[in-house]
Amino acid sequence: MDFALTEEQLELQAMVKAFVDKEVVPYTDEMDKANECRPEIFKIAGDMGLLNLIVPEEYGGPGLDSVTVAMIYEELGKGCAGVATSIAANALASYPVLIAGNEEQKKNWCDLLNEGKLAAFCLTEPNAGSDAGSVATKAQKVGNKYILNGSKVFITNGGIADTYLVYANVRKSGGIRGLTCFIVPKGTPGFSVGRKED
């Protein structure tokens, strides 16, 4: 089996390398000291189509295969692991929606990514870590809506995302079987971002 990159993949790799060399590498020390990415990076990355890599073609995305996506993230990581992780977080938060969301949720989610928005995957908690079965955030149904109560920590893009995929438990007794994903837009009443982790 031939594992060599195709001509199209090599062109994408070169495009990402040029972006990293120009927009990321010269600012890595500055970003590390400030403990944040330059906002322009995400604007440029969005314009280049780097924030919607896993969006299927039927939802307006490039529909790239896993090898191509991994190659792009690897090239980003050569310049700055933080930038690569923030951009890759869009995919992490998207997979549950693409796998289990209804048609409206998939379309709305993909539209956000196609517009160059950032997403966050919110599972980790102060007393549970990433043990999904121990998630303490609760979701209570009131009418046709849910009210979420809980806290998350160590969330990549936590303070800068436009939309959040939040894991909460719909069962009072907790446990993995009650775990449910909720799409929470930035600005939702009651939603707040805590301190920035170093």
Side-chain angles (χ1 to χ4, degrees):
M1 180 173 224
D2 182 10
F3 290 101
L5 297 177
T6 66
E7 187 174 326
E8 184 180 357
Q9 287 172 323
L10 289 170
E11 287 175 9
L12 279 170
Q13 186 180 47
M15 178 191 78
V16 175
K17 182 181 184 324
F19 162 72
V20 168
D21 288 347
K22 181 180 178 189
E23 302 293 344
V24 179
V25 172
Y27 305 99
T28 53
D29 287 344
E30 172 188 318
M31 291 187 294
D32 282 347
K33 287 175 184 161
N35 199 20
E36 62 186 27
C37 285
R38 297 170 55 240
E40 310 90 273
I41 285 179
F42 299 119
K43 169 73 172 93
I44 297 165
D47 291 345
M48 292 176 63
L50 297 177
L51 299 180
N52 68 339
L53 296 175
I54 68 157
V55 173
E57 289 180 354
E58 63 260 36
Y59 295 107
L64 298 178
D65 63 90
S66 297
V67 172
T68 304
V69 172
M71 176 208 65
I72 290 169
Y73 292 155
E74 180 181 51
E75 202 61 42
L76 290 167
K78 289 177 185 177
C80 177
V83 170
T85 302
S86 279
I87 290 174
N90 267 14
L92 177 63
S94 299
Y95 283 119
V97 178
L98 292 172
I99 291 168
N102 63 36
E103 199 58 32
E104 181 183 1
Q105 290 168 333
K106 290 177 185 179
K107 183 186 180 320
N108 291 340
W109 186 273
C110 291
D111 284 349
L112 286 170
L113 269 56
N114 289 335
E115 292 167 12
K117 306 293 186 188
L118 287 174
F121 179 90
C122 308
L123 174 68
T124 307
E125 294 188 352
N127 296 318
S130 294
D131 175 9
S134 297
V135 164
T137 297
K138 297 291 183 194
Q140 180 183 2
K141 192 166 187 176
V142 178
N144 65 347
K145 296 183 179 184
Y146 281 89
I147 295 174
L148 278 60
N149 284 302
S151 297
K152 304 293 182 179
V153 294
F154 307 128
I155 305 302
T156 302
N157 295 343
I160 60 174
D162 298 287
T163 191
Y164 299 79
L165 189 75
V166 180
Y167 284 80
N169 211 304
V170 296
R171 291 172 57 181
K172 289 183 182 177
S173 59
I176 196 77
R177 292 189 183 269
L179 203 60
T180 304
C181 295
F182 293 88
I183 298 170
V184 180
K186 186 177 192 171
T188 297
F191 175 86
S192 65
V193 175
R195 70 181 173 86
K196 186 192 304 184
E197 296 292 341
D198 185 4

